[in-house]
């Protein structure tokens, strides 16, 4: 019991550069192994998904917030609480679609891409694709099917990195066969 | 301040610890070979300085090596990192406005730019330097007045 109570305050600090270099080593090793940008993008998203489904538990335990009432609240929480907690940045929410089911996260100082320069000929690589998987996996665990993709990328010459999140549908918990 | 046409440095070179060039850039684009030769011969002086200083003193060797040798047209300065990567700066002899401290600052900037470039996960140490960021920082240093 005492170990669970300590969880909220036990935030071990890791040097930011170490984190950036670790992620960089991960991506460059994936590039060497798969040699295909699209394949690497897929792998990064898969890994992100696996992180996301676990991270959401940690997040809910730490953040102590209730269920969000609508997608706008979800957007706020993602930007102001989740990103702040894990990456130390607060992306700007913008470009809401008229139906309110799609929005953009604008990131200016993505810690994953410090010091990184994409090599020539690899413009299809979405270097920070891990983030799309994390968001998708985490939101799936709270019954939201969300489509996440990159619209702009600072590594490809844009001014900022833009992630687009689109709400697809609410997920119902499947009732196991045999129960009423 | 009246701007003269004098660039700060005419040639900047980064040499790997195995003494092959990682990056060389010169301002006058004709007669580049002369600068490559100057940098190459300066390596002997660099080697001499690192080996002699290490044996005499027990304290840590300084990274900045100072003026390596003057020719009649140019002055060559050197700087070695603890990983034996060498930076060589060739200045025109007519450029007297630069003091020792200014040169130290230039080397520090070079060193910082090199380290940032090294942190790029797509760069393998020992490879030729192709980073656009690094090249921009170096050319800015060379043209500034």
């Amino acid at each position: 019991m005492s170990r669970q109570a300590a969880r909220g305050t036990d935030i071990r600090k890791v040097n930011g550069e170490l984190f950036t270099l670790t992620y960089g080593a991960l991506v460059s090793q994936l590039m060497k192994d798969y040699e295909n940008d699209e394949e690497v993008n897929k792998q990064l998203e898969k890994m992100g998904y696996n992180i996301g489904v676990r991270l959401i538990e940690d997040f809910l335990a730490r953040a102590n917030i209730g269920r969000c009432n609508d997608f706008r609240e979800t957007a706020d929480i993602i930007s102001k609480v989740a990103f702040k907690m894990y990456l130390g940045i607060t992306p700007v929410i913008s470009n809401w679609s008229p139906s309110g089911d799609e929005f953009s996260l604008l990131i200016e100082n993505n810690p994953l891409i410090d010091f990184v320069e994409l090599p020539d000929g690899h413009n299809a690589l979405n270097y920070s694709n891990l983030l799309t998987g994390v968001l998708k996996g985490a939101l799936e665990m709270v019954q939201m099917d969300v489509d996440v993709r990159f619209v702009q990328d600072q590594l490809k010459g844009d001014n900022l990195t833009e992630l687009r999140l689109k709400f697809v549908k609410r997920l119902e918990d499947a009732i196991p066969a045999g129960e009423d | 301040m009246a701007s003269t046409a004098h660039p700060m440095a005419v040639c900047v070179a980064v040499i790997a610890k195995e003494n092959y060039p990682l990056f060389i850039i010169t301002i006058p684009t004709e007669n580049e070979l002369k600068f490559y030769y100057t940098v190459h011969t300066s390596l002997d002086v660099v080697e001499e300085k690192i080996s002699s200083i290490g044996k005499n003193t027990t304290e840590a060797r300084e990274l900045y090596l100072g003026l390596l040798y003057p020719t009649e047209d140019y002055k060559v300065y050197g700087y070695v990192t603890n990983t034996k990567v060498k930076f060589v700066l060739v200045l025109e002899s007519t450029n007297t406005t630069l003091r020792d401290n200014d040169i130290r600052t230039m080397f520090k900037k070079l060193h910082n730019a090199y380290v940032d470039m090294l942190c790029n996960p797509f760069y393998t140490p020992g490879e030729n330097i192709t980073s656009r960021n690094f090249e921009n920082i170096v050319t800015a240093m060379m043209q500034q007045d």
Side-chain angles (χ1 to χ4, degrees):
Chain A
M1 278 305 272
S2 60
R3 189 178 159 78
Q4 280 171 309
R7 194 184 184 84
T9 49
D10 176 23
I11 305 175
R12 269 165 290 185
K13 299 237 181 243
V14 173
N15 179 303
E17 275 190 24
L18 178 61
F19 175 65
T20 304
L21 290 174
T22 306
Y23 185 71
L26 175 76
V27 179
S28 68
Q29 191 59 50
L30 279 176
M31 296 277 289
K32 289 193 192 113
D33 289 343
Y34 288 99
E35 285 178 12
N36 174 325
D37 292 351
E38 277 313 316
E39 194 52 44
V40 175
N41 286 343
K42 252 200 287 180
Q43 289 300 320
L44 282 174
E45 185 163 355
K46 238 206 284 184
M47 294 165 66
Y49 180 85
N50 288 328
I51 296 179
V53 302
R54 295 165 172 81
L55 202 66
I56 185 73
E57 304 288 344
D58 180 80
F59 174 72
L60 291 172
R62 285 227 203 115
N64 239 341
I65 41 174
R67 211 164 248 293
C68 291
N69 290 323
D70 62 10
F71 202 46
R72 279 181 186 268
E73 251 190 77
T74 310
D76 270 338
I77 301 282
I78 293 179
S79 159
K80 300 195 175 83
V81 189
F83 264 89
K84 189 96 190 16
M85 190 187 283
Y86 292 111
L87 290 178
I89 54 173
T90 319
V92 174
I93 302 175
S94 80
N95 292 352
W96 275 101
S97 67
S99 47
D101 65 347
E102 204 174 342
F103 69 95
S104 286
L105 283 173
L106 306 174
I107 307 174
E108 244 181 42
N109 46 348
N110 184 355
L112 295 174
I113 62 172
D114 283 340
F115 313 122
V116 179
E117 277 179 61
L118 275 186
D120 294 325
H122 288 277
N123 247 15
L125 176 71
N126 289 334
Y127 186 85
S128 312
N129 219 34
L130 198 87
L131 293 179
T132 57
V134 173
L135 286 168
K136 196 163 161 57
L139 289 171
E140 199 174 290
M141 289 294 116
V142 283
Q143 282 84 46
M144 276 187 269
D145 184 3
V146 179
D147 192 43
V148 189
R149 61 193 174 86
F150 276 100
V151 178
Q152 289 191 79
D153 194 345
Q154 273 167 314
L155 289 180
K156 299 187 186 166
D158 299 312
N159 285 338
L160 31 73
T161 306
E162 182 180 345
L163 272 169
R164 193 116 183 104
L165 281 85
K166 184 177 165 70
F167 181 79
V168 176
K169 61 178 190 291
R170 179 160 288 282
L171 298 161
E172 298 300 331
D173 289 331
I175 298 179
E179 286 192 22
D180 280 318
Chain B
M1 195 147 104
S3 71
T4 65
H6 280 171
M8 281 201 150
V10 291
C11 172
V12 176
V14 181
I15 319 274
K17 69 176 190 306
E18 294 91 356
N19 284 335
Y20 61 84
L22 293 172
F23 181 82
I24 299 194
I25 189 168
T26 61
I27 282 200
T29 38
E30 3 62 47
N31 219 348
E32 274 181 324
L33 219 47
K34 181 176 66 170
F35 288 114
Y36 291 12
Y37 181 67
T38 311
V39 169
H40 189 251
T41 47
S42 69
L43 285 179
D44 281 334
V45 187
V46 172
E47 289 291 323
E48 197 191 305
K49 286 206 182 232
I50 2 180
S51 56
S52 68
I53 294 179
K55 293 196 183 92
N56 293 341
T57 60
T58 43
E59 56 189 54
R61 176 177 50 77
E62 218 198 75
L63 304 179
Y64 177 66
L65 299 175
L67 182 64
L68 297 177
Y69 74 96
T71 67
E72 62 180 35
D73 299 316
Y74 301 105
K75 292 187 281 196
V76 185
Y77 292 86
Y79 180 101
V80 189
T81 67
N82 284 326
T83 49
K84 297 277 184 293
V85 173
K86 304 154 184 90
F87 298 106
V88 177
L89 221 53
V90 181
L91 269 54
E92 278 178 338
S93 280
T94 47
N95 190 339
T96 45
T97 52
L98 284 179
R99 291 182 333 254
D100 201 56
N101 257 346
D102 297 327
I103 315 240
R104 277 177 198 265
T105 319
M106 285 169 85
F107 274 124
K108 198 109 224 355
K109 248 210 281 198
L110 258 180
H111 194 176
N112 283 339
Y114 176 74
V115 170
D116 284 348
M117 193 262 322
L118 204 58
C119 288
N120 181 7
F122 298 113
Y123 173 77
T124 327
E127 226 177 41
N128 245 343
I129 296 178
T130 49
S131 153
R132 251 156 273 127
N133 274 346
F134 184 74
E135 200 173 321
N136 289 341
I137 295 184
V138 173
T139 33
M141 244 174 57
M142 290 172 80
Q143 287 162 354
Q144 227 179 56
D145 194 21

